[in-house]
Amino acid sequence: MELKEYIYRRKSTRSYKKEPVDKETLQKIEDFIGEMKPLLPDVRYRCRLLPGGQVRSVLPWVPAHAAAIYTEDKKGALENAGFLLQQLDLYVQSLGFGACWLGMGSLPQEKRREDGLDLAMLLVFGIPKGEALRPGAADFRRKPMALIADRMDKKLECARLAPSSVNSQPWYFLHGVGAIHVYCALSGAFRKAVSRFNHIDMGIALCHLYLENEQTFRFFYAPDAPEQAGYAYIGSVQL
Ligand SMILES: Cc1cc2nc3c(=O)[nH]c(=O)nc-3n(C[C@H](O)[C@H](O)[C@H](O)COP(=O)(O)O)c2cc1C
């Protein structure tokens, strides 16, 4: 199965065996990290594997491994981080491991910066206790297309199924001339800003659009993208 096919089978795993992944496989995962494609090539980032034991979290089930993504602070940096780490989420699941994004986790103070970059997010993974994949696309709990796009578009199905923090699914897609404009719901008390996690979520959905349209995908900022009440403009895609 190709990586993009795991978009329709992946899930968050929250129950793991204690054993670590073997060294050879961890090396394969390191190699994959070196080949991940960024959304924005001019944003500096690092992605590091760490033992899950280094993760600070109130959650009792943190598995044997974690991937930490560090980034510079720049427009689109969190979308870029989500875009990158989602490739890893799919990859480790393609190898039969369980994985889960971990907003409710951090690292010790001295591990929160690397090479002048700040820790943006963690993805944890390990050997699952049960089945790591969903039986199929019917098993996802997601908003219907009518709530996330101005019209039905099969090409957006992969984005509709993307994982997001607390399953918020903050995305909205508006068809323009030759491009789809991508928006994120504003959140917080006054609905004025996009949360850090939602920026990451947007990168995850964009990653799915990229994997399904690898040859043609283009992300750019369109100066004429219309405003959408209650949403912030994130960028536009050609698929
Ligand atoms: C940025 C981000 C942060 C998340 N943080 C957590 C977390 O701290 N704990 C947790 O159990 N799940 C976390 N999740 C997983 C989401 O709850 C999950 O992706 C969503 O409910 C959809 O379910 P699925 O991944 O099984 O499709 C996070 C997901 C994302 C994208």
Side-chain angles (χ1 to χ4, degrees):
M1 256 162 79
E2 282 183 79
L3 199 57
K4 65 181 181 188
E5 295 173 58
Y6 290 90
I7 290 172
Y8 309 94
R9 300 288 307 278
R10 62 151 300 285
K11 67 176 185 189
S12 295
T13 290
R14 298 184 179 87
S15 177
Y16 295 90
K17 294 185 180 166
K18 285 217 163 62
E19 301 100 272
V21 172
D22 66 86
K23 283 213 170 94
E24 201 178 304
T25 309
L26 273 183
Q27 185 55 54
K28 268 176 75 173
I29 295 172
E30 287 274 15
D31 294 347
F32 178 85
I33 287 173
E35 286 162 19
M36 295 187 310
K37 297 280 180 308
L39 176 69
L40 300 168
D42 60 339
V43 177
R44 278 205 321 124
Y45 76 93
R46 294 273 182 284
C47 184
R48 295 275 178 259
L49 292 185
L50 306 151
Q54 292 192 4
V55 172
R56 292 197 173 161
S57 176
V58 291
L59 300 168
W61 48 261
V62 175
H65 304 281
I69 191 146
Y70 300 83
T71 181
E72 66 178 319
D73 183 11
K74 213 173 181 182
K75 181 179 174 181
L78 292 174
E79 283 81 359
N80 193 52
F83 187 92
L84 285 154
L85 218 44
Q86 181 58 10
Q87 293 166 56
L88 190 62
D89 173 60
L90 295 170
Y91 182 65
V92 295
Q93 296 201 47
S94 79
L95 297 179
F97 301 117
C100 192
W101 285 84
L102 202 69
M104 281 171 69
S106 190
L107 294 176
Q109 187 74 41
E110 67 280 7
K111 293 228 154 63
R112 288 186 211 156
R113 266 181 83 75
E114 185 171 314
D115 199 12
L117 308 173
D118 289 316
L119 176 65
M121 185 50 70
L122 296 169
L123 177 87
V124 293
F125 64 94
I127 301 172
K129 272 200 180 142
E131 181 51 61
L133 296 172
R134 288 184 157 93
D139 201 40
F140 284 80
R141 199 165 49 85
R142 297 291 190 268
K143 292 179 187 170
M145 183 75 73
L147 293 185
I148 63 152
D150 60 333
R151 63 170 149 92
M152 285 298 290
D153 184 343
K154 281 198 179 130
K155 285 204 154 190
L156 294 175
E157 181 64 3
C158 59
R160 191 182 75 83
L161 298 182
S164 54
S165 46
V166 290
N167 209 16
S168 50
Q169 307 162 68
W171 33 74
Y172 191 77
F173 301 94
L174 184 71
H175 290 79
V177 181
I180 299 174
H181 305 304
V182 181
Y183 299 83
C184 181
L186 298 168
S187 54
F190 302 102
R191 292 186 36 96
K192 278 211 153 88
V194 170
S195 75
R196 276 183 64 80
F197 286 177
N198 283 166
H199 276 294
I200 302 250
D201 298 335
M202 296 308 296
I204 297 173
L206 288 165
C207 169
H208 284 190
L209 288 169
Y210 159 68
L211 289 173
E212 276 291 8
N213 302 278
E214 226 176 303
Q215 303 307 321
T216 46
F217 179 90
R218 189 167 86 86
F219 177 78
F220 62 102
Y221 297 113
D224 58 344
E227 288 200 3
Q228 284 285 102
Y231 289 84
Y233 173 66
I234 295 296
S236 301
V237 289
Q238 279 173 343
L239 303 178

